[in-house]
Amino acid sequence: MEKEDLKVLNKGEEEEMELQGYCLCRWRLALVGLGVLCTGGFLLLLLYWMPEWCVKSTCTRTTARDAEVVLLRSTDEFRRWFLARVRVMLAPGSNPFHSLDTQTTSPSSPSSPSFTLLRNIPYIRYFTFHSTKYYWNDEVQNFEVLNGLEDLQISCSTLHSEHSAGLTRNQQEYRRLFFGVNEIAVKVPSVFKLLIKEVLNPFYIFQLFSVILWSADEYYYYAVAIVFMSVISIATSLYTIKKQYVMLHDMVAAHSIVRVSVCRANNDIEEILSTDLVPGDVMIIPSNGTIMPCDAVLVSGTCIVNESMLTGESVPVTKTNLPNPVPGERGEEADSAYNTEDHKRHTLFCGTNVIQTRFYTGELVKAVVVRTGFSTAKGQLVRSILYPKPTDFKLYRDAYLFLLCLVAVAGIGFVYSIVLSIMNNVPAKTIIIESLDIITITVPPALPAAMTAGIVYAQRRLKRIGIFCISPQRINICGQINLEDGLDLWGVQRVENGSFHLSEENAYKENLVKSQFVACMATCHSLTKIEGQLSGDPLDLKMFEATGWILEEATEEETSLHNRIMPTVVRPPKQLLPPEPAVSQEQDMVPYEIGIVRQFPFSSALQRMSVVARLLGEKRMDAYTKGAPEVVASLCKKETVPENFAEVLEGYTKQGFRVIALAHRRLESKLTWHKVQNISRDHIETNMEFLGLIIMQNKLKAETPGVLLDLHQANIRTVMVTGDNMLTAISVARDCGMIPPQDTVIIADALPPHDGQAAKITWRYADKPMNISLEDVCHVDEPKTQELYHFAMNGKSFAVIAEHFPDMLQKLVLHGTVFARMAPDQKTQLIEALQGVDYFVGMCGDGANDCGALKRAHGGISLSELEASVASPFTSRTPNISCVPSLIREGRAALITSFCVFKFMALYSIIQYISVTLLYSILSNLGDFQFLFIDIAIILLIVFTMSLNPAWKELVSRRPPSGLISGPLLFSVLTQILICLGFQTITFLWVRQQPWYTNSCILTKIFSEHMNMSDLNDTEVDDHNIQNFENTSLFYVSSFQYLIVAIVFSKGKPFRQPSYKNWPFVLSALSLYFFLLFIMFHPVETIDEFLEIVCVPFEWRLKLLLIIVVNAAVSVVVEGVIDLRAYKCLSWLCCSRKMPKARYMHLAQELSVDPDWPPKPTTTTEAKPRPENGSTYQIMINS
């Protein structure tokens, strides 16, 4: 039953979860209630922390269909548990898209997968988890999410024909039962709720337990101090959390409720609140723009949208209406089902700003609502902020293991103190208090605050240099870089009669002004004017500016010359037009200008964009296309493409130029304005005439080579992921030093299976720069140059290799340096492939096409001018890659700071533990104010100042350890523990050997027999036997030990600046040293009474100083030796082991002894399918 009823939600998605159904059980609930009473509420706390235990102890297992409570478990590496209550909803139907009456515009066809939610029962079961509703679907026997109109999987033509008329009020209200109110509700919890949630944290419960214990032991001052610190900590935490909720609420609520106009099924237009919108509603986009309250697909008109909130890219985007192909038409758009990802150029996303709309002859700009509330793009982003995934899993797992070790040590002390107390006939109450006290000493209460200090300081330093962070835990190691460089127009090369002209520097010439080539440059773009300024894609801007033409957004008065309204008109400046004699008035009245009738926006998948334009006065229209040369050439008539096209293109791309091809086609006169509005781009982009090439020069930004050199010297791999041509990308990679001149580049061309042939990869070697001799090229197979090769591939090859050669992909990413023509989802797949071989991956991108990859990477940096881009964990104000080394340096400094603080806190606990354990042997302890002085004056001051060391000024090849459980780190902690134990034991035993100790010995004996003695030898005897020579000696030595280990562990170079540059830390340490030496050699009665220390002879003070100095010297020397030798020993151990930990190291080891790797030139690798769904391959040499 267990296996059968284990359901999987969101299969294959990021939020994939396992689901088990449970029913409440009364007798189990009664038993748990009894247990809660018996444990004083502790069992209730335990069940609150452990949802799995809570459900399994109060419920019995049942089927998912009949469940009252569902237990969810994430399938990621964190395997977190959640619980949710199943609720019941009454509705007149079981599917939001079912017809309620004959007027419905959304009939569910038999072919579409519809939700038949408990067909014969008038109620519907659902549960809410992380702001998403999951409904029970009887057909698939599982809970599913209702996203919106996409669930119907309708084609574009069906969306136009059946969903563009609007809904009736009844239909709207019925759908709202399922989809809920259209708002992204970020509820700001009350302070009381936040307080309860914060206080129930296991850490604060442990502190409460400690405070009760200390109060029982009459350590009131220390208990009050800890309560005071906890209150400040909780108040600060509550303020921060509340502030974040309020900020997020304000950001979301700013434009979430607006008034919108919707079309009703009876052609009426009604104004409603945006919160009432449901999928299927047809909303009218106002001409003056709006903030979108939902995701909607344009069915008529055009919009200019600023999507910076989603992508981090502030360049306005043109959104066109969804194509409406005639049924039976050929082409990919004709029969494709609508979805927001494939049709994002036609979709207006929630939260984006519609700047202006364009409409034709009185037609309204309409959009069909696709998704609402948390299902929208903005809703998903808000959910990712509200419910983030845990990060730094390994570091925190190691921290918990470390704490468990401390708890184990505390357990030993616990048993020791009980045994010792029983042997000395100590009362039972004292035994319980003192043995539990050992546990509170060993687990440091200030540990969580101390651990986050380093990250908080690093975040502040990053903010100062213009790098903003929305996920502080992500301040980590970056290993991969994405380059986006500036472009300049280098020249043009036109084609006439099927052959190339000589290249020309620009197209700003009188003789070219009326050519189709210049007309294509002037019209084929998505530029628009916003507040008088030309705005759009930088490449389009460069191309348009090179023509010298003028772009005008036509007003209604100016359009009287045209048959239809043309939203954009372009014309050359008067000085460029050849002087023409005014033959007649009519000719004089018709200026030379071109109106853009329809745009087919640039598509990453198609690698091109097209426009339909009409020259003023002409009846026939023209189509212009620009895009990747190989793609554009394939759309042109063969006779118009020059024979030497491939050689000319290769010549430019090898030199590192970015090449764009232009094409033109004169459209048939039967194509009217109305037909053009509904025609598919496949009809337009065919039988074109090749016009020529635009050559753009990739300007490497000045800082790029220097940054890449820094990363290379630090042994950090850099990889180029680009949408550019592959040869261009290889050339740029060579220019910026990513690929050294002597290294070989192996291009992998993969072909998918076709005509019964298996998928195959053809390997070819890219040409080397001219200054490299032939001998260097021929020696690739020699062992010494075995690793000096780089793989390059394009997006199509990457997709084929990922699907048909999965085991080959891991080998390729190990040396893959150039990935060209990569689609956005392929960039994400590449990040996953690199992470799959255990790389820590950082990515630097412009935020436009890189959102998925930036989120997926361990450290994603968006190069956006916007201060808070939600597309990636980090956002840099500086639009170049110089921020990458800064982030890595700060990340490493924060990591080392976390290790230093953790080591120090562990030693602090152990030092105090040793002192208390030694004092327990004589039935003594540290005094209340001694604890207070150590914890407040020494520990807190040192912890929060030792974290202030800034990052080291340059990157080094050595990397910090990735986890706390590493050889050198553990060895360092253990040696320091032994040193501290040794010197405290020496002090404890040596003080008892002193000739003047006799009286103190008698005092201790008397104290142990008669608890009520008050004065002897000028030493006050208190109830807890605090004031004795052992206590005083150990207090002095341990106080200095805290400072010694703080200095020893506060590491500087190579990851942080030296400690002497951290003046708050130096000042704190020196002040404490001075104070301790002062009270040691110049006793002040008030201070002695306050700290409960006794007066000891001067010679003993000198001996204590000697112990402290020797302790410091030994600690410094041992730590220095560990630093010098441990790294070398660890390297030797790693080299001597057969199997390295990281998968990429293991792969590199395997490939170094593989005689067939790297593949030789002119060889082909074929996929050979295996029965067990794996893939193998066979390398063949072409004859």
Side-chain angles (χ1 to χ4, degrees):
M1 180 177 168
E2 290 269 331
K3 272 196 172 179
E4 283 176 4
D5 291 332
L6 187 73
K7 304 289 184 186
V8 178
L9 300 183
N10 311 319
K11 196 171 180 67
E13 293 175 31
E14 199 176 346
E15 286 189 31
E16 187 179 276
M17 291 178 294
E18 293 168 352
L19 176 144
Q20 298 168 29
Y22 285 87
C23 272
L24 288 167
C25 175
R26 287 181 183 176
W27 66 265
R28 288 192 182 197
L29 275 168
L31 272 179
V32 167
L34 191 66
V36 169
L37 286 171
C38 294
T39 56
F42 183 71
L43 180 62
L44 193 65
L45 268 177
L46 205 61
L47 297 180
Y48 170 77
W49 294 329
M50 304 282 191
E52 183 198 8
W53 293 7
C54 178
V55 172
K56 289 183 177 178
S57 61
T58 57
C59 305
T60 52
R61 191 72 197 272
T62 185
T63 59
R65 178 186 175 142
D66 303 320
E68 292 175 13
V69 176
V70 288
L71 185 61
L72 306 165
R73 192 180 194 184
S74 63
T75 56
D76 56 18
E77 70 268 34
F78 305 107
R79 305 289 285 163
R80 291 169 299 158
W81 292 95
F82 305 96
L83 65 89
R85 288 292 303 268
V86 176
R87 301 183 186 281
V88 171
M89 176 178 82
L90 294 168
S94 58
N95 182 310
F97 302 112
H98 275 173
S99 315
L100 279 184
D101 51 51
T102 52
Q103 291 180 12
T104 180
T105 59
S106 308
S108 60
S109 60
S111 60
S112 67
S114 62
F115 290 88
T116 53
L117 307 164
L118 295 180
R119 216 180 272 268
N120 304 316
I121 304 170
Y123 61 83
I124 293 152
R125 303 171 74 83
Y126 72 95
F127 69 87
T128 307
F129 174 70
H130 283 181
S131 303
T132 303
K133 279 186 179 177
Y134 292 82
Y135 289 89
W136 176 256
N137 180 350
D138 240 8
E139 274 188 8
V140 295
Q141 287 292 300
N142 201 355
F143 284 95
E144 287 190 347
V145 180
L146 286 173
N147 288 310
L149 216 55
E150 285 172 290
D151 295 333
L152 290 173
Q153 294 182 3
I154 45 171
S155 64
C156 299
S157 55
T158 311
L159 201 147
H160 273 280
S161 60
E162 297 179 9
H163 296 269
S164 58
L167 303 174
T168 63
R169 276 203 197 94
N170 285 347
Q171 284 174 321
Q172 191 189 48
E173 283 167 18
Y174 171 57
R175 287 190 185 182
R176 204 179 307 128
L177 286 173
F178 292 88
F179 294 105
V181 177
N182 173 36
E183 66 173 339
I184 301 164
V186 179
K187 291 175 183 170
V188 181
S190 65
V191 176
F192 179 73
K193 268 189 182 177
L194 284 174
L195 179 68
I196 295 299
K197 197 176 176 184
E198 190 70 16
V199 168
L200 293 182
N201 183 311
F203 165 67
Y204 288 119
I205 297 297
F206 178 70
Q207 278 202 336
L208 180 69
F209 162 73
S210 303
V211 165
I212 293 166
L213 191 70
W214 294 326
S215 302
D217 205 12
E218 296 173 12
Y219 289 167
Y220 298 120
Y221 294 108
Y222 186 54
V224 167
I226 290 294
V227 167
F228 178 70
M229 277 166 55
S230 298
V231 166
I232 290 175
S233 174
I234 290 169
T236 310
S237 183
L238 286 183
Y239 172 76
T240 310
I241 294 167
K242 180 91 173 172
K243 189 180 170 187
Q244 284 173 346
Y245 268 112
V246 169
M247 278 174 67
L248 188 61
H249 176 267
D250 291 350
M251 182 188 92
V252 172
H255 305 283
S256 64
I257 302 175
V258 289
R259 294 200 75 81
V260 292
S261 298
V262 293
C263 298
R264 289 282 171 234
N266 53 6
N267 292 326
D268 286 349
I269 290 172
E270 185 185 332
E271 198 173 83
I272 60 167
L273 282 173
S274 60
T275 47
D276 294 335
L277 288 171
V278 294
D281 266 328
V282 176
M283 67 179 284
I284 294 160
I285 313 294
S287 57
N288 59 343
T290 183
I291 302 282
M292 285 301 293
C294 58
D295 286 356
V297 59
L298 269 176
V299 286
S300 68
T302 306
C303 293
I304 308 292
V305 186
N306 183 340
E307 292 190 326
S308 58
M309 195 283 295
L310 285 181
T311 63
E313 181 60 55
S314 54
V315 172
V317 181
T318 303
K319 300 279 184 171
T320 56
N321 58 312
L322 187 74
N324 184 13
V326 179
E329 257 189 359
R330 66 169 184 82
E332 54 194 58
E333 291 183 33
D335 49 8
S336 65
Y338 169 79
N339 76 67
T340 48
E341 187 54 44
D342 294 346
H343 298 92
K344 61 183 175 189
R345 283 292 184 180
H346 315 293
T347 306
L348 303 170
F349 292 102
C350 180
T352 58
N353 185 5
V354 178
I355 300 164
Q356 53 185 254
T357 62
R358 308 229 173 116
F359 52 91
Y360 310 99
T361 53
E363 278 190 41
L364 295 168
V365 179
K366 294 179 185 176
V368 178
V369 176
V370 180
R371 296 184 300 198
T372 57
F374 276 102
S375 297
T376 61
K378 185 180 179 181
Q380 297 290 355
L381 277 174
V382 173
R383 280 182 72 238
S384 70
I385 296 168
L386 281 173
Y387 315 107
K389 266 192 170 186
T391 49
D392 273 0
F393 185 65
K394 190 174 187 301
L395 182 67
Y396 287 103
R397 185 184 60 201
D398 288 356
Y400 285 126
L401 279 172
F402 220 100
L403 278 175
L404 280 174
C405 293
L406 291 179
V407 170
V409 170
I412 296 165
F414 180 77
V415 173
Y416 163 80
S417 67
I418 290 174
V419 171
L420 200 72
S421 301
I422 291 169
M423 284 169 66
N424 286 284
N425 302 317
V426 174
K429 183 193 170 188
T430 313
I431 293 176
I432 293 165
I433 290 171
E434 292 194 340
S435 53
L436 288 173
D437 198 25
I438 283 275
I439 295 168
T440 66
I441 286 164
T442 319
V443 183
L447 185 65
M451 286 289 283
T452 53
I455 290 171
V456 170
Y457 295 145
Q459 193 181 354
R460 280 185 190 168
R461 289 195 293 270
L462 283 170
K463 196 170 182 179
R464 280 203 294 270
I465 57 172
I467 300 173
F468 299 89
C469 177
I470 61 164
S471 177
Q473 301 298 342
R474 288 273 190 114
I475 299 175
N476 215 319
I477 303 163
C478 299
Q480 188 233 345
I481 288 168
N482 180 24
L483 275 173
E484 293 287 341
D485 300 313
L487 285 169
D488 259 352
L489 186 81
W490 179 83
V492 298
Q493 190 152 8
R494 293 182 299 119
V495 168
E496 273 184 24
N497 304 322
S499 59
F500 279 114
H501 279 257
L502 290 172
S503 60
E504 297 157 277
E505 203 172 310
N506 60 50
Y508 188 80
K509 293 176 181 173
E510 275 187 28
N511 62 327
L512 294 180
V513 73
K514 290 192 176 182
S515 68
Q516 297 290 6
F517 188 90
V518 171
C520 186
M521 286 177 73
T523 56
C524 198
H525 53 70
S526 56
L527 300 177
T528 185
K529 268 195 173 174
I530 295 169
E531 294 174 4
Q533 287 289 313
L534 262 184
S535 183
D537 183 84
L539 188 144
D540 285 353
L541 269 171
K542 288 278 181 196
M543 184 182 77
F544 184 74
E545 284 167 3
T547 64
W549 282 40
I550 296 152
L551 181 137
E552 287 179 354
E553 312 264 303
T555 60
E556 285 185 31
E557 295 82 37
E558 291 169 340
T559 53
S560 56
L561 292 167
H562 302 275
N563 295 337
R564 302 281 175 190
I565 289 175
M566 295 200 179
T568 306
V569 174
V570 291
R571 58 181 173 79
K574 283 179 183 172
Q575 63 268 28
L576 265 188
L577 287 167
E580 289 183 16
V583 180
S584 68
Q585 280 189 337
E586 289 164 25
Q587 196 174 354
D588 215 22
M589 281 173 67
V590 182
Y592 184 84
E593 57 184 48
I594 302 171
I596 299 167
V597 177
R598 173 129 192 239
Q599 269 186 20
F600 296 98
F602 176 77
S603 156
S604 302
L606 300 175
Q607 296 179 7
R608 62 181 184 268
M609 82 161 285
S610 299
V611 293
V612 177
R614 176 161 52 192
L615 180 65
L616 188 60
E618 286 278 339
K619 286 189 178 178
R620 287 171 73 177
M621 298 187 197
D622 296 278
Y624 296 104
T625 297
K626 82 164 195 292
E630 315 87 30
V631 175
V632 172
S634 70
L635 302 171
C636 294
K637 297 174 191 167
K638 279 190 178 176
E639 64 270 18
T640 66
V641 181
E643 287 180 12
N644 62 340
F645 164 76
E647 294 87 60
V648 171
L649 176 62
E650 195 172 344
Y652 283 125
T653 53
K654 277 183 184 171
Q655 292 174 62
F657 291 115
R658 184 169 181 178
V659 185
I660 292 145
L662 307 181
H664 160 258
R665 178 183 160 206
R666 195 104 162 110
L667 297 177
E668 302 84 5
S669 53
K670 65 176 182 180
L671 276 176
T672 61
W673 180 90
H674 267 298
K675 281 183 180 174
V676 165
Q677 295 312 311
N678 295 311
I679 201 165
S680 80
R681 69 190 296 170
D682 294 330
H683 271 79
I684 299 291
E685 297 168 340
T686 182
N687 286 326
M688 305 197 85
E689 289 179 16
F690 194 75
L691 293 178
L693 305 171
I694 296 175
I695 299 103
M696 313 289 275
Q697 189 169 18
N698 280 283
K699 282 193 308 174
L700 266 184
K701 290 176 183 168
E703 55 285 322
T704 300
V707 169
L708 292 176
L709 182 66
D710 286 351
L711 293 168
H712 180 69
Q713 286 172 346
N715 279 346
I716 293 171
R717 261 191 73 197
T718 52
V719 176
M720 181 186 287
V721 189
T722 177
D724 223 332
N725 174 287
M726 185 155 59
L727 292 174
T728 303
I730 292 169
S731 174
V732 172
R734 286 201 189 275
D735 289 346
C736 66
M738 207 178 263
I739 301 174
Q742 70 276 11
D743 288 8
T744 304
V745 176
I746 305 168
I747 297 171
D749 286 325
L751 293 171
H754 65 98
D755 300 334
Q757 291 185 336
K760 61 180 181 181
I761 308 170
T762 306
W763 308 96
R764 58 190 175 91
Y765 283 28
D767 292 345
K768 291 206 172 185
M770 299 303 176
N771 58 343
I772 301 297
S773 65
L774 191 63
E775 287 78 18
D776 292 332
V777 182
C778 299
H779 295 318
V780 215
D781 303 329
E782 289 182 12
K784 62 175 182 176
T785 55
Q786 184 70 31
E787 292 189 283
L788 301 180
Y789 60 89
H790 305 258
F791 287 109
M793 69 191 77
N794 60 25
K796 285 179 183 173
S797 296
F798 179 83
V800 172
I801 293 166
E803 187 178 347
H804 300 283
F805 301 87
D807 40 0
M808 170 78 81
L809 185 63
Q810 292 198 332
K811 296 179 181 182
L812 290 178
V813 296
L814 205 64
H815 285 280
T817 302
V818 174
F819 295 87
R821 297 272 192 248
M822 294 286 275
D825 60 323
Q826 289 172 341
K827 292 181 183 182
T828 310
Q829 286 169 18
L830 175 62
I831 299 284
E832 287 169 350
L834 286 160
Q835 289 172 336
V837 289
D838 296 343
Y839 275 120
F840 273 90
V841 185
M843 171 155 180
C844 192
D846 61 2
N849 295 320
D850 308 324
C851 296
L854 287 168
K855 277 185 174 180
R856 182 74 59 179
H858 290 107
I861 316 170
S862 173
L863 296 181
S864 166
E865 289 177 9
L866 300 166
E867 189 168 313
S869 169
V870 282
S872 65
F874 300 97
T875 304
S876 172
R877 264 188 180 168
T878 316
N880 60 54
I881 64 167
S882 60
C883 58
V884 175
S886 304
L887 180 63
I888 299 172
R889 287 188 297 105
E890 288 297 348
R892 288 179 170 188
L895 200 60
I896 289 298
T897 300
S898 294
F899 291 154
C900 291
V901 168
F902 204 94
K903 284 162 72 177
F904 174 68
M905 293 301 281
L907 257 291
Y908 142 65
S909 301
I910 297 295
I911 291 168
Q912 202 167 74
Y913 170 77
I914 293 165
S915 305
V916 170
T917 310
L918 287 170
L919 290 173
Y920 271 14
S921 67
I922 59 158
L923 304 180
S924 180
N925 201 347
L926 287 172
D928 196 359
F929 289 105
Q930 287 176 344
F931 274 123
L932 204 63
F933 174 75
I934 291 166
D935 286 357
I936 309 294
I938 300 181
I939 304 306
L940 283 186
L941 196 60
I942 292 296
V943 157
F944 290 108
T945 55
M946 81 187 293
S947 303
L948 286 168
N949 287 34
W952 185 245
K953 50 187 179 287
E954 58 191 45
L955 277 175
V956 292
S957 58
R958 184 176 156 191
R959 295 188 186 183
S962 59
L964 285 164
I965 312 296
S966 65
L969 205 141
L970 288 175
F971 191 55
S972 163
V973 170
L974 285 170
T975 49
Q976 293 300 331
I977 288 173
L978 291 173
I979 291 164
C980 293
L981 174 65
F983 282 97
Q984 281 204 49
T985 309
I986 289 166
T987 308
F988 182 76
L989 296 174
W990 200 7
V991 71
R992 296 166 76 92
Q993 304 302 318
Q994 299 306 307
W996 42 263
Y997 180 79
T998 320
N999 288 338
S1000 178
C1001 196
I1002 293 163
L1003 171 69
T1004 310
K1005 269 188 179 179
I1006 294 167
F1007 168 71
S1008 60
E1009 289 164 14
H1010 312 283
M1011 300 292 270
N1012 57 355
M1013 257 193 107
S1014 62
D1015 187 58
L1016 185 68
N1017 288 352
D1018 299 318
T1019 305
E1020 188 182 326
V1021 178
D1022 59 315
D1023 291 345
H1024 292 279
N1025 184 22
I1026 302 299
Q1027 292 179 308
N1028 54 60
F1029 295 126
E1030 290 92 341
N1031 170 293
T1032 301
S1033 304
L1034 286 179
F1035 171 73
Y1036 282 134
V1037 171
S1038 64
S1039 295
F1040 278 104
Q1041 280 182 341
Y1042 299 125
L1043 296 174
I1044 291 163
V1045 293
I1047 289 163
V1048 163
F1049 286 156
S1050 190
K1051 301 276 173 64
K1053 197 176 170 183
F1055 304 115
R1056 305 196 307 165
Q1057 297 276 8
S1059 292
Y1060 61 78
K1061 288 193 176 180
N1062 177 359
W1063 64 264
F1065 175 67
V1066 172
L1067 198 67
S1068 305
L1070 286 176
S1071 305
L1072 286 165
Y1073 269 121
F1074 177 78
F1075 176 75
L1076 287 168
L1077 286 170
F1078 175 76
I1079 62 168
M1080 197 166 129
F1081 286 100
H1082 191 278
V1084 177
E1085 197 177 337
T1086 319
I1087 295 172
D1088 284 2
E1089 279 178 17
F1090 180 76
L1091 290 174
E1092 298 179 82
I1093 49 183
V1094 295
C1095 191
V1096 291
F1098 186 75
E1099 64 268 22
W1100 178 239
R1101 293 166 197 264
L1102 288 173
K1103 286 174 185 174
L1104 282 178
L1105 183 63
L1106 179 69
I1107 290 168
I1108 290 158
V1109 170
V1110 175
N1111 185 345
V1114 172
S1115 289
V1116 170
V1117 170
V1118 168
E1119 189 68 15
V1121 169
I1122 290 169
D1123 270 356
L1124 285 171
R1125 297 286 169 204
Y1127 185 64
K1128 289 179 183 174
C1129 291
L1130 200 70
S1131 305
W1132 177 80
L1133 279 168
C1134 287
C1135 294
S1136 64
R1137 283 191 309 179
K1138 293 289 178 196
M1139 292 282 281
K1141 267 188 182 177
R1143 175 104 180 101
Y1144 68 88
M1145 290 181 181
H1146 173 57
L1147 265 175
Q1149 230 178 52
E1150 272 184 10
L1151 295 178
S1152 64
V1153 292
D1154 187 345
D1156 294 325
W1157 196 265
K1160 310 292 183 293
T1162 69
T1163 59
T1164 304
T1165 305
E1166 262 191 24
K1168 297 281 180 191
R1170 291 190 307 204
E1172 55 266 28
N1173 289 334
S1175 89
T1176 185
Y1177 45 82
Q1178 178 184 338
I1179 295 176
M1180 299 176 296
I1181 297 175
N1182 292 348
S1183 53

